[in-house]
Amino acid sequence: MKNKDIQIYDVIVIGAGHAACEAGLIASRMGMKTVIFCTDIESVAMMPCNPSIGGTGKGHLVKEIDALGGEMGINTDKTFIQSKMLNTSKGAAVHSSRAQADKHRYHEEMLATINNQQNLELVVEEVTDLILDKRDSISADNSATVKGIITANGSEYFSKAVIICTGTFLGGKIFIGDNVKISGPADLTPSTELSKNLYSLGLPLRRFKTGTPARMLRDSLDYSKMKEQKGDEKIVPFSFMNEGKEYEIDQISCWLSYTNEETHKIILDNLEKSAMYSGNIVGVGPRYCPSIEDKVSRFRDRKRHQLFVEPEGLDTDWMYIQGMSSSLPEDIQHEFYSTIPGLENATIVKPAYAIEYDCIDPTSLRPSLESKLINNLFCAGQFNGSSGYEEAASQGLIAGINAVRKIREEKPLVLRRDQSYIGVLIDDLVTKGTNEPYRIMTSRAEYRLLLRQDNADRRLTGIGYEYGSVSEERYRRYIEKKEKVDREIERLKHKGTDRNTFYELLKRPEFTYDDLAELDDETRPDLTETEKIEVEVEIKYEGYIRKQIIEVEKLTKLEEKALYDDIDYNSIGGLRLEARQKLSKIKPITLGQASRISGVSPADINVLLIWLEKERRNKNTCS
């Protein structure tokens, strides 16, 4: 190895998917010399599965990414071809944005953003090895520090931190019936040597599985037999930086159809030919995004299952068949797809497939997403056992921020469950772990009314500014918006009719903020749609919000009681054996986190409280 080949960076990011893009961009924007490695240029912000961003729970994540200074919301606003607000018939807490994206333009726009970003480079080379200060295997008692990476051509790159965001490329293997091939998603080059290296180092890896449905030619489908799904007339952008912007685009429709009993019979008659049922696949698949074989097999009483036909972009004839992933042979796929209304004469340009890949046990990570076994090694995205673009991007952003803060010897950003869905996502992964690809859902959050889409900037932009991820421009605009909303809420408390203030009227379910306009004789502030929603929700749900805040304040006391890595839980009398084992493995950083570990009871938490108080007294006595 010649010295001229040695390259030195602050942060190295392995992978170029949604987690890697956020990690690389935020690290470079925070002043670090950063490089992203990928095996194919096409993998940059690629959408190998559904061509959409957001959805229930996932839309909240995108808004939070944006509030913290991330890129996903901005990039989606540049490239969407349909926009919808989901769950509008339900409460404001679960209103979720979803956008159909032009997948090729999404990739191109993110690639351009990366190429134009100061301090950031993109290198198309396969990473094969981590460089550690200790070259042998690592363990909890023999931690190492990552120093860089080695590529397939033997080049060495050194850095102060490394972030692994390998997605489904790590040890990737594609299945279509009995046909098995080593591959990344969409037939791109997989990362095989790095997988071997991580196994050899002793990192706790396991196999997960996911899948994607067939793609069909647009003109081969009969839309008269399907139900049209149009976008919303009123478009709410993902990025807070685009609030108030008018979007004049011709939105592209999606289409709804259903399977039937004939479809199900073909699938059940050929179930043993599916790679999932033949024993070829050993990885665990996602419970909340199952293959069509799983749906039909598990729910045999169901007469039909819905599916959506979605355009992949403006300049392609490919249509994505959402809800129909499969690992059945190609000829069987043709047979069952042809039984579905609208797809009888469909031309399949790419068959459905399952993909199996390596990922890490996330309980081996700290809440900062740094490995407990290798110092300065951070992990994000599907490598951590999650599924979905939005979940990946959320972790990539946090891993990028915390890699920078670790280099600067600053406190990591660890978001609480009451602060964000990102906090719920990461806490679930690192504290509880997951035995299947993890997907965020609104039901996972205990404080949904506090974690709405409309107030994501109010919850997180100030924190992002404090931790260095939010620009001066974004923070200035957030402060201006916050003050405008606060002033309007205060104004409504003091203005109104002879009998009620506008504040009191707005608490009634039949009144909206816009309804007050004809009663209001003052010149009202020019609020954006998001600002109107925030004013309305803060007033209508004031009592419920106050109750949740009181609950949070009680639980925050546990979150403020810090625990440390070097605590010997086996020496603490009164802890049950299971609690000692789980606490020693997870190494919680607060008593609050400890209380959420499966197998740690309230009695164990009381033992820890007493032990902590004794330790505090002993230290005070010694000092």
Side-chain angles (χ1 to χ4, degrees):
M1 184 72 235
K2 296 181 180 179
N3 289 335
K4 69 182 181 67
D5 294 326
I6 297 176
Q7 308 259 7
I8 300 176
Y9 293 86
D10 294 313
V11 178
I12 289 174
V13 181
I14 305 173
H18 303 280
C21 290
E22 296 294 346
L25 285 167
I26 203 65
S28 60
R29 288 168 179 171
M30 292 175 73
M32 294 290 131
K33 184 181 179 184
T34 306
V35 59
I36 295 174
F37 284 89
C38 63
T39 56
D40 289 273
I41 197 71
E42 291 301 316
S43 68
V44 175
M46 180 179 67
M47 293 180 166
C49 204
N50 56 315
S52 66
I53 297 292
T56 302
K58 292 171 176 280
H60 291 71
L61 289 177
V62 182
K63 298 290 281 190
E64 291 178 358
I65 291 166
D66 185 73
L68 286 167
E71 193 67 22
M72 179 172 266
I74 291 173
N75 208 57
T76 304
D77 288 346
K78 291 178 185 176
T79 59
F80 75 89
I81 56 178
Q82 189 196 85
S83 175
K84 288 181 77 74
M85 185 67 73
L86 306 182
N87 303 325
T88 52
S89 63
K90 300 179 181 179
V94 294
H95 290 181
S96 299
S97 298
R98 183 185 188 274
Q100 201 68 29
D102 184 316
K103 65 185 297 181
H104 185 63
R105 282 183 56 218
Y106 190 96
H107 154 77
E108 286 188 326
E109 287 290 344
M110 190 67 83
L111 180 59
T113 299
I114 288 170
N115 287 335
N116 292 327
Q117 178 60 48
Q118 187 178 5
N119 298 325
L120 183 58
E121 296 176 29
L122 179 66
V123 176
V124 183
E125 280 190 53
E126 181 185 352
V127 173
T128 60
D129 296 87
L130 299 182
I131 300 173
L132 307 183
D133 61 344
K134 299 175 183 178
R135 297 297 178 118
D136 54 353
S137 64
I138 46 86
S139 67
D141 300 321
N142 182 32
S143 63
T145 299
V146 68
K147 295 297 183 181
I149 58 96
I150 302 174
T151 66
N153 65 13
S155 297
E156 294 187 353
Y157 293 77
F158 290 89
S159 65
K160 299 170 185 174
V162 172
I163 307 173
I164 299 179
C165 307
T166 46
T168 58
F169 285 82
L170 192 68
K173 189 183 289 187
I174 282 180
F175 299 82
I176 304 176
D178 290 332
N179 185 10
V180 182
K181 65 177 177 179
I182 306 299
S183 176
D187 297 321
L188 297 184
T189 306
S191 177
T192 54
E193 295 304 313
L194 180 61
S195 184
K196 296 175 185 176
N197 176 244
L198 298 181
Y199 270 111
S200 72
L201 291 175
L203 287 176
L205 300 186
R206 63 264 189 87
R207 298 288 280 177
F208 273 3
K209 167 261 174 190
T210 188
T212 190
R215 273 64 164 182
M216 300 177 178
L217 284 182
R218 186 194 309 268
D219 292 342
S220 69
L221 307 182
D222 185 349
Y223 300 96
S224 67
K225 297 181 179 180
M226 299 184 279
K227 184 177 180 181
E228 188 173 12
Q229 307 287 299
K230 294 184 177 181
D232 294 341
E233 288 186 17
K234 188 179 292 184
I235 294 172
V236 179
F238 270 110
S239 178
F240 290 102
M241 300 297 281
N242 291 325
E243 278 190 12
K245 182 177 179 179
E246 295 293 330
Y247 288 89
E248 296 182 4
I249 70 166
D250 293 326
Q251 296 191 60
I252 308 299
S253 293
C254 297
W255 302 84
L256 172 66
S257 189
Y258 293 90
T259 62
N260 51 58
E261 292 185 65
E262 185 183 358
T263 317
H264 299 176
K265 184 178 186 306
I266 294 170
I267 292 170
L268 290 173
D269 287 348
N270 293 278
L271 206 56
E272 76 284 352
K273 297 178 183 178
S274 166
M276 277 295 295
Y277 287 84
S278 66
N280 284 344
I281 293 177
V282 298
V284 181
R287 180 185 311 183
Y288 299 104
C289 188
S291 66
I292 188 61
E293 297 99 287
D294 275 346
K295 290 179 185 177
V296 172
S297 179
R298 291 181 192 173
F299 308 105
R300 299 197 181 211
D301 58 326
R302 293 279 296 272
K303 302 285 186 190
R304 65 179 190 173
H305 294 278
Q306 70 178 17
L307 58 104
F308 291 91
V309 177
E310 303 175 345
E312 291 210 330
L314 298 176
D315 300 320
T316 178
D317 291 328
W318 286 25
M319 303 293 280
Y320 174 90
I321 315 302
Q322 189 200 103
M324 292 287 288
S325 69
S326 175
S327 61
L328 280 163
E330 199 167 341
D331 60 330
I332 305 300
Q333 291 188 36
H334 280 275
E335 191 177 350
F336 74 68
Y337 275 126
S338 68
T339 66
I340 297 170
L343 311 186
E344 294 92 344
N345 300 305
T347 300
I348 298 177
V349 289
K350 191 173 184 63
Y353 64 84
I355 184 167
E356 193 179 64
Y357 56 95
D358 288 327
C359 56
I360 199 167
D361 178 353
T363 62
S364 68
L365 305 177
R366 305 179 194 280
S368 64
L369 296 182
E370 182 183 14
S371 169
K372 296 173 185 174
L373 302 175
I374 302 179
N375 298 319
N376 297 359
L377 176 67
F378 292 80
C379 307
Q382 284 185 274
F383 181 66
N384 289 354
S386 64
S387 70
Y389 311 144
E390 303 83 359
E391 289 89 341
S394 300
Q395 295 169 70
L397 181 68
I398 298 300
I401 292 170
N402 285 334
V404 174
R405 294 187 67 82
K406 181 70 185 289
I407 291 169
R408 292 175 176 167
E409 299 183 348
E410 295 174 337
K411 178 183 176 183
L413 173 58
V414 177
L415 296 171
R416 300 192 311 268
R417 299 179 73 90
D418 62 282
Q419 290 177 316
S420 66
Y421 275 90
I422 296 177
V424 172
L425 162 67
I426 293 176
D427 183 61
D428 278 350
L429 287 173
V430 304
T431 304
K432 302 174 183 177
T434 183
N435 294 319
E436 61 191 32
Y438 176 100
R439 177 180 180 175
I440 196 65
M441 294 179 287
T442 54
S443 60
R444 296 191 191 272
E446 299 90 339
Y447 308 108
R448 290 186 288 278
L449 199 51
L450 301 182
L451 308 183
R452 307 183 311 276
Q453 280 197 159
D454 64 89
N455 71 349
D457 55 344
R458 185 175 284 252
R459 291 184 279 116
L460 297 174
T461 298
I463 293 173
Y465 185 72
E466 177 188 349
Y467 279 76
S469 65
V470 167
S471 67
E472 292 288 345
E473 170 64 11
R474 180 182 287 274
Y475 186 66
R476 179 189 64 78
R477 291 178 63 167
Y478 154 68
I479 291 297
E480 289 176 355
K481 174 192 170 183
K482 179 179 179 296
E483 291 176 347
K484 184 163 64 167
V485 169
D486 288 346
R487 281 196 303 269
E488 179 61 358
I489 290 175
E490 194 62 28
R491 186 184 77 86
L492 295 176
K493 289 180 179 179
H494 299 94
K495 301 294 180 181
T497 65
D498 293 338
R499 305 179 67 177
N500 301 100
T501 66
F502 292 142
Y503 189 91
E504 291 167 336
L505 287 175
L506 203 49
K507 281 184 174 290
R508 298 178 182 177
E510 67 270 19
F511 273 93
T512 67
Y513 179 80
D514 285 335
D515 290 337
L516 300 179
E518 55 191 61
L519 302 174
D520 198 344
D521 58 2
E522 286 190 1
T523 302
R524 304 202 316 165
D526 184 20
L527 301 184
T528 66
E529 288 302 315
T530 305
E531 289 165 350
K532 290 177 184 178
I533 291 169
E534 188 171 345
V535 168
E536 192 172 311
V537 172
E538 288 290 336
I539 293 174
K540 280 189 185 299
Y541 296 95
E542 179 195 22
Y544 298 103
I545 291 171
R546 191 185 304 118
K547 284 181 181 178
Q548 288 207 342
I549 290 173
I550 291 171
E551 288 179 29
V552 168
E553 288 172 349
K554 291 177 182 176
L555 293 171
T556 300
K557 294 177 181 178
L558 289 180
E559 298 295 342
E560 291 172 349
K561 293 187 181 296
L563 300 172
Y564 305 96
D565 278 355
D566 58 357
I567 293 177
D568 181 7
Y569 292 101
N570 289 316
S571 68
I572 300 177
L575 284 177
R576 294 173 309 109
L577 177 61
E578 183 183 9
R580 292 176 182 178
Q581 293 172 340
K582 293 289 183 67
L583 289 165
S584 297
K585 178 186 177 184
I586 303 298
K587 295 182 179 178
I589 62 171
T590 68
L591 205 57
Q593 186 188 1
S595 71
R596 294 187 293 276
I597 298 173
S598 175
V600 176
S601 69
D604 296 316
I605 296 301
N606 285 332
V607 169
L608 285 175
L609 273 168
I610 294 168
W611 182 84
L612 284 171
E613 181 60 23
K614 286 181 179 177
E615 286 292 297
R616 184 186 67 80
R617 289 176 182 172
N618 289 339
K619 286 181 181 178
N620 289 340
T621 301
C622 292
S623 60

